[in-house]
Amino acid sequence: MIDALPRTEVGAPPPHDDAQLAWLTDSIARNRFLPQPDPSNIFVGDGDFRAIGAEFLGHFVRLGGLRSSHRVLDIGCGIGRMAVPLTQYLDGEHGRYDGVDPVEGGIRWCKSAVAPHYPNFSFQHLDIAHDLYNPKGAIKGRALKLPFADGQFDFIIMTSVVTHLPADEVMAYLREIVRVLRVGGRLFMSAFIVDDIAAKNATGRRDPRLGFARAGQGPCWFVPGQPPLAAVGFDDGFLDTAFDRTGLSVVLKSLGHWRAPGGSHYQDILVGERLRSHA
């Protein structure tokens, strides 16, 4: 019998108080007073804004090892789905958050609705070109330079980012991430990893919206009938190798339930740790 939801975990994040974290994420999901954009302005993703953000806060802590004192960089912060729950977790004195995104409208909302109330939160628009989200952007993804000094972040978030990037741009992002991540810091990435089970859909229970087909010789997989960067999957092993080539060690790899019902998260999750200096 084929295992419909294979799961591989390497290493473990530092311990946390799970009961306290569960209380916090539940309270965030129910707190109608937290900043929340009008649903018509959410230009990326679907589902309940607060609930999804609270869910990911739990993943950041439980799977990624995020701590309240960390300095966090959120690449592709969008309209604050991850930032809003982090306002309730990061320590106001020691923790800090920086969010960057190519879509100016999302950054504008975050600057007006979040930053004025949380002075340790900052947002920047980066005019990175993207075929779907910012086609007239001035900065090519392969030439990305993050506007931060070397080694200043403890924890970097990339949720639903590489799911919209070509392979060469993934490598460019990872090189910059390793540059701004301190030794011992971690990258939390969500992705679609197309292993044999996901590719063949042997159980017949994969999310029908993600009927990936290989693009040429790989490593990318696109969904036929959709723009190529609407949803991007990668050959199993591509991201692991990319982490290693750029100076990150994979400390956790957990496959999500987009391939079949069950499990605690939808997309696949990779956590990488910068263990060494890397030229």
Side-chain angles (χ1 to χ4, degrees):
M1 180 177 178
I2 296 175
D3 179 7
L5 187 64
R7 182 181 175 92
T8 304
E9 294 189 6
V10 183
H16 61 268
D17 185 328
D18 199 67
Q20 184 177 23
L21 179 61
W23 175 87
L24 176 62
T25 56
D26 181 63
S27 67
I28 289 170
R30 293 184 290 104
N31 187 348
R32 68 183 188 278
F33 297 107
L34 288 174
Q36 179 167 336
D38 186 278
S40 65
N41 291 330
I42 300 175
F43 52 83
V44 176
D46 52 17
D48 186 284
F49 181 86
R50 287 197 307 268
I52 292 174
E55 174 194 335
F56 268 92
L57 173 58
H59 296 328
F60 297 152
V61 177
R62 295 186 181 101
L63 301 179
L66 175 67
R67 292 294 167 261
S68 61
S69 60
H70 280 172
R71 179 161 188 183
V72 175
L73 172 61
D74 187 359
I75 297 175
C77 66
I79 203 161
R81 194 189 294 265
M82 305 302 158
V84 170
L86 284 166
T87 63
Q88 307 302 295
Y89 179 76
L90 292 180
D91 180 85
E93 183 177 353
H94 302 291
R96 179 171 173 80
Y97 170 100
D98 286 275
V100 296
D101 199 272
V103 182
E104 193 167 12
I107 293 297
R108 187 163 50 247
W109 182 86
C110 290
K111 283 185 172 181
S112 64
V114 179
H117 308 288
Y118 301 95
N120 56 331
F121 277 64
S122 179
F123 301 89
Q124 292 188 57
H125 172 237
L126 295 185
D127 195 21
I128 305 168
H130 190 279
D131 289 352
L132 294 181
Y133 299 120
N134 193 28
K136 296 181 180 180
I139 304 168
K140 300 299 183 183
R142 293 186 298 275
L144 174 69
K145 297 295 180 185
L146 293 169
F148 303 104
D150 295 358
Q152 63 176 286
F153 291 101
D154 302 294
F155 196 85
I156 296 180
I157 297 167
M158 288 185 80
T159 56
S160 296
V161 175
V162 302
T163 54
H164 304 289
L165 292 180
D168 57 349
E169 291 190 20
V170 171
M171 296 301 298
Y173 274 71
L174 287 176
R175 284 190 290 269
E176 274 295 277
I177 283 166
V178 169
R179 181 183 66 79
V180 302
L181 192 61
R182 69 169 179 82
V183 174
R186 288 188 168 188
L187 166 66
F188 182 104
M189 173 190 286
S190 70
F192 295 122
I193 297 171
V194 187
D195 60 2
D196 286 344
I197 292 174
K200 296 176 182 177
N201 194 23
T203 64
R205 296 190 296 163
R206 183 182 58 203
D207 187 330
R209 298 172 298 176
L210 296 172
F212 286 114
R214 184 186 292 279
Q217 299 300 310
C220 292
W221 295 67
F222 302 140
V223 179
Q226 294 187 17
L229 299 185
V232 182
F234 291 101
D235 284 335
D236 190 14
F238 168 76
L239 292 172
D240 310 63
T241 300
F243 274 39
D244 182 67
R245 285 176 57 190
T246 51
L248 292 164
S249 175
V250 176
V251 297
L252 181 139
K253 181 178 181 180
S254 182
L255 301 182
H257 63 73
W258 68 274
R259 64 195 63 236
S264 63
H265 50 85
Y266 177 72
Q267 293 185 6
D268 306 314
I269 291 174
L270 285 169
V271 178
E273 184 171 322
R274 186 184 174 192
L275 296 178
R276 61 186 187 277
S277 299
H278 192 79

